Amino acid sequence: MVANRVGLAVWIHSLKQVKQLKRFGNIHYVSKKMKYVILYCDEEKSDETIQRLNSLHFVKDVSKSMRPWLKTEYESSTPDKAKKDDYKMGI
């Protein structure tokens, strides 16, 4: 069974310790220029993982991705034909 995952952005001081972050979850991306790591971990253990990451001396900040809680179903950008006709009535 696949567990729900959540993304964490981990801002670090140096890239030397990136290998140590592998034990907290799956590393998806490492930015060498901006010095952050995108890390995926289980949603159930995310709060505990954030606390453990913040306690490390080489971690500046940890932020959780809000993507799982955002609405991803969008409405059509073109209005319905009935709505189009209403706009032209004033002209």
Side-chain angles (χ1 to χ4, degrees):
M1 183 174 152
V2 178
N4 290 337
R5 299 187 315 160
V6 66
L8 301 175
V10 183
W11 299 88
I12 54 179
H13 291 284
S14 175
L15 295 174
K16 291 179 183 179
Q17 292 88 5
V18 171
K19 288 184 180 180
Q20 294 180 17
L21 296 177
K22 288 182 182 178
R23 63 183 170 155
F24 295 102
N26 297 333
I27 294 178
H28 181 71
Y29 179 74
V30 177
S31 173
K32 293 180 181 176
K33 183 178 180 182
M34 297 181 68
K35 296 182 183 175
Y36 70 89
V37 176
I38 300 296
L39 179 80
Y40 283 98
C41 66
D42 293 337
E43 186 177 6
E44 298 166 356
K45 300 178 182 178
S46 64
D47 294 330
E48 178 186 332
T49 305
I50 290 173
Q51 289 177 351
R52 289 177 61 199
L53 286 170
N54 278 326
S55 68
L56 298 174
H57 71 281
F58 57 87
V59 174
K60 288 183 192 177
D61 189 25
V62 179
S63 58
K64 187 187 287 189
S65 171
M66 291 294 137
R67 186 170 187 216
W69 299 281
L70 291 177
K71 180 181 165 189
T72 56
E73 297 174 4
Y74 304 105
E75 294 180 9
S76 170
S77 62
T78 58
D80 295 334
K81 187 173 183 179
K83 290 182 181 178
K84 277 187 179 179
D85 295 338
D86 290 342
Y87 293 123
K88 294 182 179 179
M89 290 190 70
I91 297 176

